[in-house]
Amino acid sequence: MAPVLIWIPLVGLLTGLGSIEAQQTTLHPLVGRVFVHTLNHETFQHLPEHVAVPPTVPITYHAHLQGHPDLPRWLRYTQRSPHHPGFLYGTPTPEDRGRQVIEVIAYNRDSFNITQQRLVLLTGNPEGPLLPYQAEFLVCSHDVEEVLPSAPASRFLTALRGLWEPGELQLLNITSALDRGGRVPLPIEGRKEGVYIKVGSASPFSTCLKMVASPDSHARCAQGQPPLLSCYDTLAPHFRVDWCNVSLVDKSVPEPADELPTPGDGILEHDPFFCPPTEAAARDFLTDALVTLLVPLLLALLLALLLAYIMCCRREGRLKRDLATSDIQMVHHCTIHGNTQELRHMAASRQVPRPLSTLPMFNVRTGERLPPQVDGAQVPLILDQH
Ligand SMILES: *[C@@H]1O[C@H](CO)[C@@H](O)[C@H](O)[C@H]1NC(C)=O
Ligand SMILES: *[C@@H]1O[C@H](CO)[C@@H](O)[C@H](O)[C@H]1NC(C)=O
């Protein structure tokens, strides 16, 4: 009985884990063309436990490049709210060619179940003619999520065809105006964030488009006047385009290639016979090091010896000095010396009476002395006789 009781939750756990096992989808984005992948209840059919989830269930998604925390640079993710679908969109550049695996985790916000999906993106070059004529429009009447689904995007292209020379139009890039420095609009009915849509074609621009993007038109915009829109705005009722922000790129004229660096100072002439050394010969730095260290050391030692010789061996000495001094000077010196000695000797033994002249105060005539307790400093040196 006991093993069965243990088995039931274990089986439940295993089937639960099984639902996390990733589904895999392969997609083929094209370099330079907009790529949109919708994440919704249909693309995550078995969320979470092999039962289709009703579309009212809120779901959020998290997408990242396999083995990395975030998406590749060219790919963006957006979702308005858990009740709306999520979108992975962007335009791959030539560097993004190849295989990229995006892992998407969907969270059921009601049951807190999760499921994972793996998107294998095989990015390749687009076929067909080049699209040298490219134009970018700022559509003010839409948020980015509203033009990412294929229906509004193709409606935009169809409407735009009326402003272009006949030919196929392709969506090249879609960016939210918020990602280009736009502001979140006030929560007023009808205000949208705006979205930049870039379109390319093999056929040239119409004169109408050229006029709208002309410098004259921009000058009028700068003064707050409407731009020069000479044709009928076929986008008008559905898409409100900011005609002041149309930019045209004509890549049919090849851009001048970057100039090669001209050889000047510091650039060697090209020499076909020059063969650069492949290996540098080993160099011995021992002698250099020894010379650098020993020469100053020896010099310092020499100077020290010279100084020692001058200080110790070149001393005059007392005898030599006495011999060089005249006798009279010597006698004079000896007398002073002797007297000093004597005075010092006398000062050491105070038994002898002090000479009168050294006493603090005495009367010149009577020899009378002041009582010794008087402080000499406050008594006048010579007493008045009266
Ligand atoms: C698409 O537009 C965004 C925003 O302007 C830009 O950063 C990105 O480089 C564009 N992609 C391509 C392939 O031009
Ligand atoms: C439109 O373009 C001009 C420059 O051409 C820029 O100054 C202005 O901010 C743009 N408007 C919007 C809403 O992006």
Side-chain angles (χ1 to χ4, degrees):
M1 207 48 200
V4 176
L5 285 179
I6 295 167
W7 262 110
I8 291 170
L10 199 60
V11 168
L13 192 67
L14 285 177
T15 47
L17 281 178
S19 72
I20 292 178
E21 200 170 274
Q23 307 163 297
Q24 189 158 318
T25 314
T26 306
L27 299 165
H28 297 271
L30 296 174
V31 168
R33 304 283 195 279
V34 78
F35 163 80
V36 180
H37 180 67
T38 313
L39 303 168
N40 57 15
H41 293 77
E42 282 109 63
T43 47
F44 277 88
Q45 274 185 347
H46 306 301
L47 191 93
E49 49 284 296
H50 302 280
V51 199
V53 171
T56 49
V57 171
I59 301 175
T60 56
Y61 306 90
H62 179 256
H64 63 97
L65 185 62
Q66 192 177 44
H68 297 267
D70 209 346
L71 287 170
R73 188 195 294 259
W74 65 272
L75 199 59
R76 291 174 194 266
Y77 168 73
T78 181
Q79 187 185 20
R80 183 79 5 192
S81 80
H83 294 280
H84 288 87
F87 292 99
L88 284 170
Y89 70 102
T91 308
T93 59
E95 293 94 72
D96 301 312
R97 259 182 306 225
R99 185 171 180 273
Q100 282 176 326
V101 179
I102 307 292
E103 283 178 345
V104 186
I105 301 168
Y107 301 84
N108 183 330
R109 288 290 158 189
D110 275 352
S111 64
F112 300 102
N113 272 306
I114 64 168
T115 187
Q116 196 184 24
Q117 196 179 49
R118 211 169 282 151
L119 302 177
V120 182
L121 304 184
L122 301 174
T123 308
N125 282 327
E127 287 167 4
L130 294 176
L131 309 177
Y133 298 98
Q134 302 179 354
E136 194 168 49
F137 302 91
L138 171 58
V139 180
C140 306
S141 53
H142 287 68
D143 288 337
V144 68
E145 294 90 358
E146 293 168 329
V147 291
L148 286 175
S150 60
S154 58
R155 204 183 308 137
F156 180 81
L157 286 187
T158 314
L160 188 61
R161 231 157 253 149
L163 292 176
W164 213 296
E165 300 280 311
E168 201 195 358
L169 296 182
Q170 294 262 2
L171 282 177
L172 301 186
N173 203 346
I174 296 179
T175 329
S176 169
L178 297 185
D179 295 332
R180 301 258 302 248
R183 294 202 186 168
V184 178
L186 291 172
I188 299 175
E189 192 65 35
R191 295 233 182 175
K192 300 290 182 153
E193 291 164 1
V195 56
Y196 283 91
I197 302 182
K198 195 172 190 180
V199 175
S201 173
S203 47
F205 306 118
S206 62
T207 38
C208 172
L209 274 183
K210 278 187 204 158
M211 254 176 98
V212 155
S214 68
D216 284 355
S217 191
H218 283 160
R220 285 176 63 107
C221 282
Q223 288 167 8
Q225 293 170 341
L228 302 162
L229 188 62
S230 59
C231 46
Y232 177 68
D233 185 356
T234 49
L235 293 158
H238 246 90
F239 299 93
R240 199 155 42 78
V241 171
D242 181 354
W243 290 109
C244 283
N245 279 61
V246 176
S247 55
L248 304 182
V249 180
D250 186 351
K251 293 192 176 164
S252 58
V253 191
E255 286 176 19
D258 289 342
E259 281 184 20
L260 289 173
T262 44
D265 296 340
I267 300 181
L268 288 178
E269 291 281 330
H270 178 65
D271 179 4
F273 302 107
F274 175 69
C275 66
T278 49
E279 227 173 58
R283 284 180 62 188
D284 188 10
F285 291 103
L286 183 65
T287 45
D288 287 0
L290 286 182
V291 166
T292 322
L293 287 176
L294 289 186
V295 167
L297 256 175
L298 279 178
L299 212 68
L301 202 68
L302 220 76
L303 284 175
L305 285 178
L306 192 71
L307 200 64
Y309 167 72
I310 291 173
M311 299 286 284
C312 306
C313 311
R314 296 281 309 218
R315 261 186 72 147
E316 278 197 324
R318 205 169 144 188
L319 187 65
K320 195 176 174 190
R321 191 192 63 197
D322 287 355
L323 287 177
T325 315
S326 70
D327 281 352
I328 291 191
Q329 224 178 337
M330 283 304 284
V331 169
H332 190 181
H333 173 76
C334 284
T335 321
I336 295 173
H337 201 71
N339 290 352
T340 318
Q341 287 285 341
E342 192 191 344
L343 273 176
R344 288 214 175 131
H345 180 73
M346 281 163 67
S349 56
R350 300 259 172 191
Q351 279 84 5
V352 289
R354 289 172 69 183
L356 276 183
S357 61
T358 64
L359 288 177
M361 179 72 18
F362 72 105
N363 192 311
V364 185
R365 256 182 258 152
T366 59
E368 178 200 15
R369 277 196 247 160
L370 275 183
Q373 67 268 20
V374 177
D375 186 0
Q378 278 151 31
V379 180
L381 265 177
I382 295 179
L383 275 184
D384 195 32
Q385 299 150 354
H386 306 293

